[in-house]
Amino acid sequence: MAIKMGYIIKNINELNMTDNEVWGNKIAYLSDANRNGIPVPRGFGIAFDKNVFEECKCEFESNLISYFSCLKKETGAKCFIVRSSAQGEDRENHVFPGLYKSKKDIKTAEQLLDAVEKCYKSFTTDTIKIYRNEMGVQPYQKERFCLLIQEQIQPDYSGVVFTKVPIDSYYDGDSYLVELISGHCGAMLQGQIRPEASYIINGKSKQLDVKKIWNAERANLDVGKELLYKIKQMTDRLIGLYGTELNIEWGYEREQVVILQIRPIQHVKSSKRKVRSLDKYLGLKAEAMRKFSQKGLFPKKLLIIESGKSFDVIQKEIEKENGLQGPLTVRYSCEKELGLPRGFVEDKAAAVAYIKSTYNEKWTIILHESICVRHSYELYLDGEKEILEHVPGMWESDSKVSTDVWIFHGRQVTALAAGYVRNAKYESVDTSYYQQVEPFLECSMKKIAEKVYPYIQTIRKDWNLDKGNNLHFVEDEKGIYYFLNYRKVPEISECVMSEKELTVINSLDDFSKWKGEDILLKIDLKRGQEILLKQVVPLLKESGTKVYVEFGLLSHPAILLREFGIQVLPLYTIHKEYIFTI
């Protein structure tokens, strides 16, 4: 499709998938879906080259306003939105996450022209160049700048559907993960707020087979089955058109599901390193738990079932294990992966049912008697350093409470106690709740250091600790420690506070206006979504910035960033310091 006079404007119903090299995948998918009877917001696309604003700006703006006036009359909408549809955006191996600008709440022609120019400028930033270089994205020989102008719907609900969760080994392609919120989901997609409700829909069932994922903080919203069934029907149709691995953004307006975006799920390029065969390798977590059990560091009954077994074999192994009684915990292990599903179940029968609904044959199954967790710890050890971090209750990826910290220098300890009342999370097979915990005083900090110190000495005798090592353990209501996980991590070079003001990053979108200065990372991630941080690694590497975290140097996001080669440091500005000898 040739572009005359440096630009072209087309209504969305005049395009299809064959135009994606000019228009980009966003416009191409939505126009093709529209042709196949899928409801999408009405609008038009513009594609132009970099000289349009110098050579034919007046003509371009005149035609743009003319199309906009027609769209306003056709739709009667009060507001419109300008969205990027770059030629290289939303491809299989790279998505340019939140790097191109969009502008909403457009009402007038003047606002439209301003929005188009600002969105165009986001195509030429250094951030885009850095991302392209890091991801190996080749520039187009004749690059077009493509934007989509659409009516801005006012949804009752909106959200996303993952036909396969875009994290290796999390859920298979037979289930749909639906995350939604009341009204517009823009803030949710940017990571600023959490979904109000999440559901797993069985994609193989002709009828609606749905399970709500419990969220203790925001559990009030419960949409009707009619909406969920419509989402399933629409997802089934889109899979039939575009394949089984899709990320679908949708809105629900006037009792109709409207599709806002269709993109292929991003695949992280596989590493060239050699991987041990899974029939011999249990994964880091399972191997560690087996060793913990042998060394007396996990004093409960433990069953480990190697990967690659059929469900019938798994069921028989669980049923014949007479030592497993009462409430149980199901975990999975695969290579170095974090965030795999975890379930608290009532008994062996419930464990079998949970495994049937979540199991991936690449995973090792870990089954043990449940622990009533009162405290969670992460312990870092290398050839010289010993650092302990703690949060009351469960320590999840999305934890928002600051950690208590102990830095050991032999028996000399520098302890940093979180200086505010924390809202600790507690969870079991039948309940999930939060409880406020007062800050620890010096006596409590010293008591914990004295209790943990002998474990440090024992572990040093049994583990190769010359490089960075991270061990996760918990404490139950009786004060018993249970070690649960181990992984090799990059060495911690320093443990200091920032003496200058930091730029706070609340979402991936914040990186579009970030200028390379040191940051305080506060992106909110669900369990299992930590790998999405890899999308910002190219930006952080190029700048050489320091990344500070409030919620634990040994937390999952901090560990992953360090494994990607990013310097991550703790922020201790709200802590009270104690120094003592144990």
Side-chain angles (χ1 to χ4, degrees):
M1 181 183 296
I3 297 184
K4 299 178 180 180
M5 298 301 293
Y7 71 91
I8 190 168
I9 306 177
K10 286 279 189 178
N11 285 319
I12 199 169
N13 56 11
E14 298 178 296
L15 300 168
N16 56 43
M17 285 294 288
T18 61
D19 301 315
N20 75 324
E21 290 301 314
V22 171
W23 295 96
N25 270 358
K26 187 178 296 179
I27 291 177
Y29 271 109
L30 289 178
S31 61
D32 194 74
N34 179 68
R35 281 176 173 265
N36 282 281
I38 304 292
V40 303
R42 290 165 291 184
F44 60 90
I46 57 175
F48 51 94
D49 64 35
K50 62 182 179 181
N51 297 318
V52 69
F53 287 104
E54 290 84 21
E55 296 178 359
C56 53
K57 185 175 181 180
C58 292
E59 179 188 335
F60 170 68
E61 291 183 346
S62 176
N63 283 332
L64 181 60
I65 291 172
S66 176
Y67 267 82
F68 182 58
S69 297
C70 291
L71 182 62
K72 290 176 73 173
K73 291 179 182 178
E74 177 189 353
T75 62
K78 295 180 180 179
C79 294
F80 298 83
I81 186 169
V82 178
R83 310 171 68 196
S84 68
S85 182
Q87 290 166 304
E89 189 178 6
D90 295 340
R91 300 290 172 166
E92 185 177 4
N93 292 318
H94 47 81
V95 295
F96 289 83
L99 302 184
Y100 296 111
K101 282 190 178 296
S102 295
K103 291 290 183 180
K104 61 181 182 179
D105 299 326
I106 306 298
K107 297 180 181 179
T108 67
E110 291 76 15
Q111 290 175 333
L112 174 66
L113 296 177
D114 180 66
V116 167
E117 188 159 359
K118 287 181 178 177
C119 291
Y120 154 67
K121 288 180 178 178
S122 73
F123 281 66
T124 60
T125 62
D126 290 339
T127 300
I128 297 296
K129 295 176 184 177
I130 293 169
Y131 184 88
R132 278 181 170 173
N133 290 337
E134 183 69 24
M135 299 301 291
V137 181
Q138 296 298 318
Y140 282 75
Q141 187 174 5
K142 293 184 178 179
E143 185 170 14
R144 312 299 183 190
F145 303 98
C146 308
L147 298 172
L148 177 61
I149 291 88
Q150 290 178 289
E151 59 179 323
Q152 184 174 311
I153 70 169
Q154 305 296 323
D156 299 315
Y157 305 101
S158 62
V160 289
V161 179
F162 296 99
T163 61
K164 177 183 178 184
V165 176
I167 303 167
D168 289 345
S169 303
Y170 197 77
Y171 287 105
D172 62 29
D174 293 329
S175 297
Y176 310 151
L177 172 63
V178 180
E179 298 182 336
L180 58 84
I181 199 166
S182 303
H184 287 286
C185 63
M188 184 188 83
L189 296 178
Q190 293 171 7
Q192 296 174 356
I193 58 176
R194 301 183 187 185
E196 293 180 26
S198 301
Y199 301 87
I200 295 292
I201 295 178
N202 184 348
K204 293 189 292 187
S205 174
K206 293 183 179 180
Q207 304 301 319
L208 181 64
D209 179 5
V210 62
K211 175 183 178 181
K212 185 174 182 181
I213 301 175
W214 183 257
N215 184 332
E217 293 185 4
R218 309 187 68 169
N220 294 326
L221 180 64
D222 195 358
V223 300
K225 290 186 177 181
E226 181 182 0
L227 169 57
L228 295 173
Y229 186 59
K230 289 179 179 179
I231 291 173
K232 181 188 182 303
Q233 287 182 310
M234 187 65 70
T235 302
D236 290 342
R237 290 181 64 188
L238 293 174
I239 285 176
L241 291 169
Y242 308 118
T244 59
E245 298 189 13
L246 302 172
N247 172 353
I248 304 161
E249 182 185 342
W250 56 272
Y252 187 63
E253 183 183 48
R254 301 190 183 97
E255 299 184 353
Q256 182 182 52
V257 175
V258 179
I259 300 304
L260 306 177
Q261 189 158 338
I262 307 163
R263 57 161 66 101
I265 288 176
Q266 182 190 19
H267 291 276
V268 179
K269 294 179 181 179
S270 60
S271 170
K272 294 181 181 179
R273 66 181 176 86
K274 293 182 179 180
V275 179
R276 287 176 281 181
S277 61
L278 289 177
D279 60 343
K280 297 180 180 179
Y281 181 45
L282 303 177
L284 278 179
K285 186 179 296 184
E287 286 193 336
M289 288 201 70
R290 176 171 285 179
K291 187 169 183 179
F292 289 143
S293 181
Q294 292 170 349
K295 297 294 182 180
L297 296 174
F298 185 81
K300 277 187 179 291
K301 183 64 180 180
L302 175 68
L303 175 63
I304 293 178
I305 302 176
E306 296 179 359
S307 60
K309 296 186 176 182
S310 69
F311 177 73
D312 290 341
V313 172
I314 292 169
Q315 184 174 3
K316 289 178 181 178
E317 288 196 31
I318 294 173
E319 289 175 347
K320 74 178 183 181
E321 183 52 71
N322 296 324
L324 290 172
Q325 301 295 330
L328 304 172
T329 298
V330 181
R331 300 177 187 271
Y332 294 112
S333 175
C334 181
E335 289 292 313
K336 295 170 61 178
E337 290 190 42
L338 292 168
L340 296 178
R342 179 195 60 203
F344 301 105
V345 295
E346 295 178 358
D347 50 31
K348 289 194 293 185
V352 169
Y354 178 81
I355 292 168
K356 185 176 183 180
S357 65
T358 59
Y359 178 60
N360 183 309
E361 64 179 10
K362 297 178 181 179
W363 299 345
T364 296
I365 298 170
I366 303 168
L367 189 62
H368 61 79
E369 296 171 337
S370 290
I371 303 163
C372 183
V373 176
R374 306 308 296 172
H375 299 277
S376 297
Y377 298 88
E378 298 285 347
L379 175 63
Y380 171 85
L381 300 171
D382 61 26
E384 299 177 351
K385 289 179 284 297
E386 298 168 349
I387 302 172
L388 177 70
E389 292 185 342
H390 159 268
V391 298
M394 305 287 290
W395 195 346
E396 302 286 15
S397 303
D398 58 359
S399 173
K400 291 185 176 181
V401 297
S402 288
T403 59
D404 303 302
V405 183
W406 294 259
I407 303 170
F408 293 83
H409 305 279
R411 290 188 172 273
Q412 184 78 19
V413 181
T414 300
L416 300 161
Y420 67 97
V421 175
R422 288 170 290 181
N423 202 27
K425 179 182 180 182
Y426 300 97
E427 194 168 12
S428 67
V429 64
D430 56 0
T431 186
S432 179
Y433 66 95
Y434 287 78
Q435 180 176 312
Q436 292 189 336
V437 176
E438 294 290 332
F440 282 174
L441 300 177
E442 182 177 6
C443 58
S444 297
M445 298 292 285
K446 186 174 183 179
K447 182 177 179 181
I448 292 172
E450 291 173 338
K451 184 176 179 180
V452 172
Y453 186 74
Y455 285 86
I456 294 176
Q457 304 312 305
T458 298
I459 292 167
R460 282 202 175 278
K461 294 178 182 178
D462 295 329
W463 299 73
N464 178 16
L465 301 176
D466 56 330
K467 301 295 185 181
N469 305 267
N470 184 63
L471 299 95
H472 170 61
F473 64 99
V474 297
E475 182 180 357
D476 69 7
E477 75 281 11
K478 298 178 181 178
I480 299 173
Y481 287 158
Y482 299 89
F483 282 74
L484 300 173
N485 202 359
Y486 164 83
R487 65 194 286 117
K488 283 284 187 181
V489 296
E491 290 186 71
I492 295 175
S493 59
E494 55 181 319
C495 197
V496 298
M497 291 185 289
S498 173
E499 296 180 355
K500 57 186 177 181
E501 186 174 352
L502 301 171
T503 296
V504 178
I505 299 293
N506 291 300
S507 71
L508 292 175
D509 187 57
D510 288 343
F511 281 99
S512 64
K513 52 182 180 287
W514 171 66
K515 298 180 180 179
E517 61 274 13
D518 291 350
I519 65 173
L520 173 59
L521 188 68
K522 300 183 74 171
I523 290 178
D524 199 6
L525 295 168
K526 288 179 18 175
R527 176 181 176 82
Q529 290 188 336
E530 301 91 347
I531 195 66
L532 299 180
L533 283 172
K534 190 171 184 179
Q535 297 174 347
V536 302
V537 167
L539 310 180
L540 299 174
K541 280 186 176 179
E542 182 72 17
S543 68
T545 188
K546 291 181 180 178
V547 178
Y548 288 84
V549 292
E550 286 184 325
F551 309 126
L553 186 61
L554 305 178
S555 60
H556 287 184
I559 289 172
L560 281 173
L561 282 176
R562 284 166 45 220
E563 289 181 342
F564 294 148
I566 305 301
Q567 186 177 16
V568 182
L569 300 168
L571 191 70
Y572 296 141
T573 55
I574 56 175
H575 290 67
K576 186 170 182 179
E577 183 179 89
Y578 303 105
I579 299 176
F580 49 77
T581 301
I582 56 175

